[in-house]
Amino acid sequence: MTSDDPFDDATTARAVIDEDGTLAEWNEGARRLLSHPSSEVVGRPAAVLLADGGAVGPLDPGEDRWSGTLALRHRDGHTVSVWVLAHRRQPPDGGPVTWLAVTPLPAGFPDPQDDDLMRAALVQSPCATMIFDDRLRLRGVNDAMAELVELPAARIRGLRATDLGDRPQNAEIETYMRRVLATGERQEMQTVMKAPGEERAHAWLARIAPLTDAFGQVRGICVTAHDFTEHFLARERLQLVNEASVRIGSTLDVTRTAQELAEVCVPALADFVSVDLLDLLDPQEHGAEATGPLTAPVQLRRAAHHSINPGSPEAVCKPGQVDSYPAGSPQAGSLIAGRTVATAVSLDDIEAWRSWDERRVQLAREYGTHSTMSVPLQARGTTLGVVVFSRFRRPEPFSPDDVLLAEELTARAAVCIDNARRYSRERDTALALQRSLLPRTLPRTAAVDAASRYLPAARAGVGGDWFDVIPLSGMRVAMVVGDVVGHGIQASATMGRLRTAVRTLADIDLAPDELLTHLDDLVVRLSEEAGGEGSPGEVGATCLYAVYDPVSRRCTLARAGHPPPVLLPPHGEPRGVELPAGPPLGLGGLPFESTELEVAEGSVLAFYTDGLIESRERDVDAGHRMLREALAADADSLDETCDRVLHALLPQGGAADDVALLLARTRGLPSSQVATWDIPADPALVAPIRKQVVDQLARWELSEHSFTAELVVSELVTNAIRYGARPIRLRLIHDATTLICEVSDNSHTAPHLRRAKTFDEGGRGLLLVAQLTQRWGSRHTTDGKTIWAELGLLADD
C-alpha cells in the first residue's frame, strides 16, 4: 500500500496476497492489529501468520470471496482471533490475480443506538419510511415520507394508516401490516396512485418489514415506499406489446384487424384511437401507386375507431366513410412527413381546424383534447394509412416512450393489415376464377329440375369443389359433382380443367365408369405436370357422375372416392344410394363400377361434397343423418331445400371446407311422347316409314315440322340400312321445345360428316342433317350405336 492511498487508514487492517500465498502488501492497520511491520512479512508466505500453521482459507481457486474467523499469530506470540473478509481481485492491466484480505479494527465507533450519524440517516434517508408499533400506530416518519404525505412529522405520530386518508390504499396497507404482525414475514404491496404532493399518479412499491427485539419478538413494522414508475411503465408497455401480438391479426380481415389495433390501444395508450386507410390500397385495381409521395389533401377511409366513451361520440367519421384531410391536420401531417407526429393541441390549433371541419372543432373543445399522436401505417415499403391517438381524459401528454410504443404496435398492425389486404385480393381473384369456372345458371332440361349452392371455405380460401348439369342426347341429363384436394387458385384451376374434361367426355356419351377412367388418366397426367412424376396423388380429386334417362326413368351412377348421393322418393324417406366406392382420381389403373337404379318420377337426388357433412363438432354419420332430415322436410322449391340443408349442417361462421350442393328432381317422359319402330333392312321400305313418322307428328300436333323431320328420318334410316347391322330401330321423342330422331343399329362403326364432291352421288346425307337440325351426333351402346338429331319446335328456332 502507498502512503497517499486515501483508504490506507489505520482503522482497517488490509493485506494483499498473491495466488501462491505470498504476502504482497501490508498496511498500517494490519501492523496495529498484529504488530508485524511490513518489512518483516511482505514477501513471506501468509501462512506464517496463522496461529495453527494451517492453509490460508481465502486461496481456494473455486471461489471469488471468502469470509470467516481466523486465529492469527501476534508478534509477541499470543493468538488474535479476528473476522476476515477476502475477495479475489483481477488487475485492470491484465497482471496476476491477487487476494485482498480486510478486517475492521475497533476505532471507537459509537454504538448504533447512540450513533448520531445513524439517527440522521434514518431521518434524512431519500427512501420514504414510516415506523408503526405493534398496535399499528405511527411512531414516526422520516423527512422523505413527511414531504410525500405533506403532513408534519411531529403532528401525525400516534395515528393509524387509515387516519392519514380515506383512499383504498390506506386500508390495504394496514391489511398487509396485520399480516406481517401475524406471520413475522415481509410483505410487498404495489399500487398506482397520486400522492398529495404530486401532479400525476406514480407507481409505488411498499416494502413492509417486521421490527423485532433481541428475542425475535415483532415489536413494530417498518414501511418504505419506492417510486418504480419507470419500471412499471416499461412493464406495462411490454405487456401491451405482448397483448397486441396475440389480439391483433386474429383474422385475415382488414377492418377487423384495424378494430383490434384500436381496442388494444384504448385505454392503455390513448383515450381515443382512429385508424384511417388510404383509399388506393390496390394499385392494380385503382391504377395508382400507393407507395408514391403523398400530397395534401389526403383521402382516407375510416377503417375503425375506439374510445373510452361508449359509442365513440368523439368520432367525426363512421367506419367505411371517406374523408378528406387537409394540410395541417394530424393525419396529413404524418403521412406527408412519413413519420410519427406527436403534438400538444392548443386552442390556436383547434381554431385552425375550423375551416376544415366545424364539427371536429366542437368535439375537440367539448372533450378537451390536449394531445394527439399520428403514426403512419407502413408495411413492406407501402404506406397503408394512419393511426391517430388522442388524449383528453389522461392529463399527461404523449412521452417519447409512448411514441416508441405506438410505433411498435402500429408496425405490427400494419403487417397484419397488409397480409389481410393481400389475402383478400388473392381470395377475390380465386373466387372470381372459381365463379367463372362454375356454371352461372343450371340448364333447363326435360329430365330434371335442378338447384345448387356453392360456399367457399370460411378461412382456408376457395378450393376445387364443382358441380354441373349437362344435357345429353335422347332427353337424358348428366349430373356431376367433384372435389379437388387443396385450396387456392391452383385447386380452382385444376377444377376448371377437370370440369372441362367431364363436359368433353360427356359429349361423346361415355358411360359413367368409362368417363371416370378417362378422368383418372387426366389427373395422373396433371400430377406428373405438377412435379409429382412417379408419385401419383400429388394432384388428387374425387368425383361422382350420374346419367338420368327420363324415358326409362333409370339412373346410372359411378363414383371415384366421392360421398354417395341421397335419394328422396316422392312418397318415402331419404336414403343413401349404395354405390361401389371406387378409388379417388389420380391413383391410376384401378377400375370403376357403375350402378343402375330405377328412379320414380318426382324423386330428389342430392349430390354434395364432403365439406357439407364433415365437421369437427360431429362425426360423418351424424352429418348424413342431419342431411336426410333436412331433405325430408316439406319445402315449396328446391332452392328452399338447398337453403334449409346449408342452415342445418353448416356452422354459423361458415364451413371449414368448400361446400357444393346439387339437388335434382327427376321428371318422367310420358310414353305418349315416345314413338318407336323396328326398321326392316330394305331400302324400299323407307317410304312407308316416312309416312308413319308424318302420321305420328300429326297426332302430336307437330305437322308444321313434318317436312324437316321426314327428311332427317329418311337420311338416318337410309344410312343405317346401307351401313349398319340388324336390328335397326327408329325412335321419336318430343317435349315442348324439342323433337329428337334416333336411329339405332348393331354396328359399332360411327358415321363421319364429309363434304361430297360435285359429281358424287352420295355423301350429302349427314351434311343435310347437320344443316336442318339444332345439333346431331352419335353415341355407342352396349349393342352398337345410336345416331340422333334434335329439331327445335319453338317458332324462333
Side-chain angles (χ1 to χ4, degrees), residues 81 137 324 641-642 679 752 792:
S81 182
R137 295 175 302 182
S324 179
T641 303
C642 284
I679 308 298
H752 297 283

Side-chain angles (χ1 to χ4, degrees), residues 475-796:
M475 296 290 182
R476 296 170 307 131
V477 65
M479 294 161 287
V480 59
V481 61
D483 183 1
V484 175
V485 175
H487 295 88
I489 294 180
Q490 184 62 41
S492 295
T494 302
M495 176 270 289
R497 299 177 71 174
L498 296 184
R499 178 172 178 253
T500 301
V502 169
R503 279 189 158 266
T504 302
L505 296 171
D507 194 50
I508 60 177
D509 257 315
L510 289 180
D513 55 341
E514 294 181 32
L515 184 141
L516 292 180
T517 299
H518 286 280
L519 202 61
D520 182 54
D521 293 337
L522 172 61
V523 174
V524 171
R525 289 196 297 272
L526 292 179
S527 294
E528 295 173 354
E529 292 176 5
E533 186 173 355
S535 302
E538 292 293 330
V539 176
T542 63
C543 185
L544 170 64
Y545 185 77
V547 176
Y548 173 69
D549 187 346
V551 177
S552 65
R553 295 180 178 84
R554 301 190 69 82
C555 185
T556 306
L557 311 93
R559 63 182 178 129
H562 201 85
V566 175
L567 174 64
L568 173 62
H571 303 291
E573 296 296 324
R575 62 180 176 83
V577 178
E578 294 185 3
L579 292 178
L585 300 174
L587 298 183
L590 299 176
F592 300 95
E593 298 181 43
S594 294
T595 297
E596 187 175 80
L597 65 151
E598 189 169 349
V599 181
E601 183 177 359
S603 299
V604 174
L605 282 166
F607 306 92
Y608 53 90
T609 55
D610 55 9
L612 180 67
I613 58 173
E614 293 183 359
S615 171
R616 295 179 180 177
E617 289 74 27
R618 62 173 185 268
D619 57 31
V620 176
D621 291 338
H624 280 292
R625 184 179 65 254
M626 295 172 64
L627 173 59
R628 292 193 297 269
E629 291 173 354
L631 290 172
D634 293 334
D636 295 333
S637 66
L638 289 179
D639 282 313
E640 182 179 335
T641 303
C642 284
D643 294 336
R644 180 188 293 112
V645 169
L646 297 184
H647 179 75
L649 275 79
L650 300 186
Q652 191 71 27
D657 195 5
D658 287 16
V659 173
L661 174 64
L662 175 63
L663 300 183
R665 178 177 285 116
T666 61
R667 294 177 178 178
L669 206 62
S671 58
S672 59
Q673 294 179 225
V674 181
T676 305
W677 295 272
D678 290 326
I679 308 298
D682 186 355
L685 298 178
V686 173
I689 294 299
R690 292 167 54 183
K691 178 64 170 61
Q692 294 179 39
V693 168
V694 171
D695 292 342
Q696 183 64 53
L697 293 180
R699 286 191 293 272
W700 285 343
E701 299 181 352
L702 298 175
S703 297
E704 65 270 26
H705 302 282
S706 296
F707 178 75
T708 304
E710 188 178 2
L711 288 176
V712 171
V713 168
S714 177
E715 292 297 335
L716 294 182
V717 170
T718 301
N719 192 70
I721 292 174
R722 288 181 177 178
Y723 306 109
R726 298 180 184 181
I728 302 172
R729 177 170 294 180
L730 168 64
R731 185 170 72 163
L732 296 183
I733 309 171
H734 87 89
D735 65 359
T737 61
T738 307
L739 173 66
I740 299 176
C741 304
E742 294 183 345
V743 177
S744 304
D745 67 84
N746 276 19
S747 171
H748 291 279
T749 303
H752 297 283
L753 184 68
R754 63 186 178 90
R755 186 173 299 276
K757 298 179 181 179
T758 305
F759 299 103
D760 287 349
E761 295 184 2
R764 296 180 177 84
L766 289 181
L767 181 60
L768 180 62
V769 171
Q771 296 296 320
L772 294 176
T773 60
Q774 285 184 326
R775 60 183 189 133
W776 75 278
S778 66
R779 65 175 182 269
H780 289 280
T781 64
T782 55
D783 299 324
K785 67 176 182 299
T786 297
I787 311 299
W788 55 269
E790 292 183 3
L791 287 75
L793 300 181
L794 297 180
D796 56 352

